[in-house]
Amino acid sequence: KQEVTQIPAALSVPEGENLVLNCSFTDSAIYNLQWFRQDPGKGLTSLLLIQSSQREQTSGRLNASLDKSSGRSTLYIAASQPGDSATYLCAVIGWGGYNKLIFGAGTRLAVHP
Amino acid sequence: DTEVTQTPKHLVMGMTNKKSLKCEQHMGHRAMYWYKQKAKKPPELMFVYSYEKLSINESVPSRFSPECPNSSLLNLHLHALQPEDSALYLCASRENDEQYFGPGTRLTVT
């Protein structure tokens, strides 16, 4: 059974720091991995999608890497801003259709001015 | 337009009520999903519709009844809910491998 773990559970940093959020999964046979952002009480916003054949994806200040063999993904946030404060969720999709997302518990990020 | 809309935003209902949640997308996606999210927990899959047919029901109680009238609309009918069903209900649609989520409906069962 696939399990997804995110470390740290919570993070509080001053503005301007470069951040690393970690995601690990137990079954390396994944189809792809998706990173989301969720503001309190809101829906999920897709940040980056990494296909199983890819090693990384970039969007603006965000960079996500994937190492299937070790069961890890990392979300790197450069030059953090207070507007980045949110919960960040990673989710893996296994093979077999329907693209069922299996989520980690998330990392709650607070960036203070 | 990469938007999934959900109505209502908030819903308070008693345990004997019948209500429905609505989800809509006009992106031409043929797979749609219902998720349930409790406070400070990740979303959990409830139902998957693919080409308007139910493909996955993750052992959800029968007091939740999904309906997909057409490819752009997904409903969740609620009946005789319990207080523990209070949660954020999220709808998503999928294009290729990426899922797009709506803002959710905050449901409170009293």
Side-chain angles (χ1 to χ4, degrees), chain A residues 31-32 34 36 38 41-49 51 89 93 97-101 103-105 108, chain B residues 33 35 37 40-43 45 48 50 55-56 58 88 90 94 96-104 106:
Chain A
Y31 183 58
N32 60 37
Q34 197 166 355
F36 294 90
Q38 186 173 31
K42 305 294 185 182
L44 278 65
T45 300
S46 178
L47 299 174
L48 290 165
L49 172 72
Q51 302 280 1
L89 295 155
I93 299 174
Y98 310 121
N99 280 50
K100 176 182 175 180
L101 290 169
F103 286 90
R108 292 189 305 281
Chain B
Y33 303 73
Y35 291 84
Q37 186 178 26
K40 299 190 185 302
K41 297 290 186 181
L45 181 65
V48 178
S50 180
S55 299
I56 293 181
E58 295 277 303
L88 181 67
L90 295 164
R94 174 171 61 87
N96 298 322
D97 300 319
E98 192 164 0
Q99 290 192 31
Y100 300 87
F101 282 78
R106 172 70 61 188

Side-chain angles (χ1 to χ4, degrees), chain A residues 4-32:
Chain A
V4 181
T5 303
Q6 290 188 246
I7 294 173
L11 188 60
S12 180
V13 300
E15 182 176 7
E17 281 203 3
N18 299 324
L19 306 173
V20 176
L21 307 182
N22 296 295
C23 172
S24 62
F25 43 95
T26 54
D27 185 350
S28 63
I30 64 169
Y31 183 58
N32 60 37

Side-chain angles (χ1 to χ4, degrees), chain B residues 22-80:
Chain B
K22 178 181 174 182
C23 173
E24 198 163 7
Q25 57 90 11
H26 296 287
M27 297 177 280
H29 298 173
R30 301 309 297 268
M32 295 184 74
Y33 303 73
W34 279 116
Y35 291 84
K36 174 183 177 180
Q37 186 178 26
K38 301 284 282 185
K40 299 190 185 302
K41 297 290 186 181
E44 295 181 342
L45 181 65
M46 300 175 72
F47 303 103
V48 178
Y49 271 82
S50 180
Y51 288 85
E52 296 128 65
K53 298 220 180 295
L54 182 63
S55 299
I56 293 181
N57 172 350
E58 295 277 303
S59 300
V60 176
S62 59
R63 56 186 184 268
F64 295 91
S65 175
E67 178 197 17
C68 191
N70 58 61
S71 60
S72 63
L73 190 56
L74 184 64
N75 299 319
L76 186 62
H77 302 299
L78 315 172
H79 173 57

